[in-house]
Amino acid sequence: MDAVRAEHLHDVPTGTRLVHAVQRVAYRVWIALDVVPGLAAFVAFVFPLAVIVAVWGALAAVSLYPDYLFPSPGQVAVKGWELLANGDIVRHSGASMFRLGLGFVVGLVLALPLGILIGVNRTASAFFMPPITFFQAIPGLAWVPLAILWLGIGHKAVTFIIFNSVFFPILFNTILGIRSIPDNMVNAALTLGASPWVLVKHVYLPGALPSIVAGMRLGAGYGWRALIGGEMIATSTGLGFMIFDARQFLGTDVVILGMIVIGILWLVTDVLILRPLERRTVLRWGTVRE
Amino acid sequence: MSDAAPAGVVVGDLEKVYVDPRTAEEVVAIRGLDLTIEPNEFVSIIGPSGCGKTTFLHMLAGLRKATGGRMLVHGKPITRPGADRGMVFQDYALLPWKTARENVEFGLKIKGLPAAERTATADRYLRQVGLDGFQNKYPRELSGGMQQRVALARALANTPEILLMDEPFASVDALTRISLQELLMQLWESEPRTIVFVTHSVEEAVFLSSKVAVFSARPGRCARIVPIDLPRPRRWAALQAHPRTAELRQELLALVQGGIAAPVGVA
Ligand SMILES: Nc1ncnc2c1ncn2[C@@H]1O[C@H](COP(=O)(O)OP(=O)(O)OP(=O)(O)O)[C@@H](O)[C@H]1O
Ligand SMILES: [Mg+2]
């Protein structure tokens, strides 16, 4: 037996053996990193990004473009330090996050009751669904001209645009969540004497919650995209404005920096707030639907 | 004669027509249904599939509206669902985000009972159905039979005047079914109340009931009432040996299979 296996080992081409060796080392590193919880996963996430930065640096070095059109990672890092020190990044990020939060809250507060009403009531559904289906087809950014004319340049216009992007995913997911609650769960509550308000609080809301939270995450994502677009046109603060404004002075380093900040902020929001929220509701509610 | 409202349930010439909202096609589920249920009577309804048994229970509960005829509970027409008519569903219909205890407490919470009293009552009923120690489990952590016990405890804890049960033991295994049937008998014999119980099982109907209403094939109506004159308390061991048991089963089976209750157009 052993002889056969040994022979077998002998037959393995050198290239494959090299790959195996690398894999073993990678595995050791992985195990070593795992001492700190989550570190291995973090490294696994960052490593490919580091490769991209390396490629970017190499391209910048050999690039035919001048530095002011294709800045190197180092230039962007220097710029990042500068804007961090003078407070620009914090100011613009703050403005963006504030608008996202506000638009999100307004969207949620309006979409939730309307979604419940439409999900529960056939007449309301018949009345509201056609206009909702129509407006849903209009991208949030198409509202920019009207938003500027109605609300002026600034927070209000951008918040309105975000609201538009957040509202529909939450609305549709709420309706879906309500409609997927088995009839007999509602019937059981009714035969126990439940009033409409008790039904909403104890059956409809908890029953639809996993779907609502999924809608919130989706809505926040759409809102974030609309936010950057809206800020390019309808305001003079925010990350969208920052990168669009920098373009005028050929500030490509600021543009790329802004893009990186946008990506990081979204990831942080998603990983720290939205995903845990989604996981918690799905976990707690478990197999809600049989 | 008398001004006093008749106690119990009186159903007269009841009709239910379903209309398909898209095709406007009509299905007459129930027509000409007459049935009287005395207070504290245990009535089983048996009949071919699709003859309107679930429809009838839902109308008694006030979950669906009749399209014709009368339905009176203590002389008053049924207009909406209420805590006076509890229901146990075939698919349990527990709320998955509530624990066993919270499910049982739900009706009492709606009634506005203080928390301590609610918990004590819920735990007493859970103990009665043999679920002591499972108060804090979620439905998904319980077996089908255990979930159905929770549903039974939930309906009982709310002390409805009338308990409506739609094939409650159809989806549990045979041994669990027998223990649930005996449990229901013990509970009912110690604390009688009106129960309307839908079943497909002739054995079950004979074991549990004071009388059995045999429904005809669709459109459903009450084709025959068979009183079950078996002694109480009812326990399986004693009843299997009783000569009347076999006779009553034969009689009901003949009614369901042949003649009046035969389903039409069923292959
Ligand atoms: N919501 C509904 N809309 C339209 N038709 C319905 C509806 N519910 C029931 N029906 C029809 O009414 C008839 C009676 O249905 P019901 O569910 O009351 O029968 P059942 O006696 O409980 O049958 P089973 O023994 O199979 O449970 C059936 O023909 C069914 O198709
Ligand atoms: Mg049925």
Side-chain angles (χ1 to χ4, degrees), chain A residues 37-74:
Chain A
L39 185 61
F42 180 73
V43 169
F45 182 82
V46 166
F47 179 68
L49 294 176
V51 171
I52 289 178
V53 172
V55 171
W56 165 22
L59 279 177
V62 302
S63 163
L64 299 177
Y65 287 115
D67 274 359
Y68 64 88
L69 282 183
F70 198 102
S72 68

Side-chain angles (χ1 to χ4, degrees), chain A residues 273-288:
Chain A
I273 302 173
L274 297 169
R275 272 197 232 178
L277 190 69
E278 189 171 56
R279 211 174 312 125
R280 282 243 313 259
T281 44
V282 170
L283 253 185
R284 162 114 198 263
W285 269 241
T287 47
V288 169

Side-chain angles (χ1 to χ4, degrees), chain A residues 184 188 192-193 202-203 206-207, chain B residues 89 91 93 97-98 110 140 154 158:
Chain A
N184 272 351
L192 290 168
H202 289 274
V203 183
Chain B
F89 299 84
D91 56 359
W97 44 89
K98 289 186 186 291
I110 293 169
R140 63 173 176 276
R154 175 175 69 177
N158 218 26

Side-chain angles (χ1 to χ4, degrees), chain A residues 144 147-148 151-162 234:
Chain A
V144 167
I148 293 176
L151 303 166
I153 298 252
H155 272 320
K156 278 191 225 151
V158 180
T159 306
F160 176 76
I161 293 156
I162 298 166

Side-chain angles (χ1 to χ4, degrees), chain B residues 54-98:
Chain B
T54 296
T55 300
F56 179 54
L57 275 200
H58 280 236
M59 287 196 290
L60 280 175
L63 296 168
R64 297 182 205 182
K65 295 222 178 326
T67 50
R70 297 174 308 283
M71 285 189 120
L72 306 175
V73 174
H74 302 324
K76 286 203 208 77
I78 294 166
T79 53
R80 60 168 69 135
D84 57 323
R85 283 151 290 135
M87 189 142 178
V88 179
F89 299 84
Q90 183 177 345
D91 56 359
Y92 325 132
L94 297 174
L95 302 178
W97 44 89
K98 289 186 186 291

Side-chain angles (χ1 to χ4, degrees), chain B residues 144-165:
Chain B
M146 290 160 106
Q147 290 186 50
Q148 194 55 291
R149 279 167 217 244
V150 177
L152 185 59
R154 175 175 69 177
L156 290 171
N158 218 26
T159 54
E161 285 171 43
I162 300 171
L163 185 54
L164 309 163
M165 305 180 80

Side-chain angles (χ1 to χ4, degrees), chain B residues 18-20 27-30 47-56 64 90 166-167 198 200 215 218:
Chain B
Y18 287 110
V19 182
D20 188 314
V27 173
V28 184
I30 290 173
S49 187
C51 73
K53 303 181 294 294
T54 296
T55 300
F56 179 54
R64 297 182 205 182
Q90 183 177 345
D166 193 1
E167 301 188 44
V198 168
H200 271 120
F215 275 29
R218 203 182 66 218

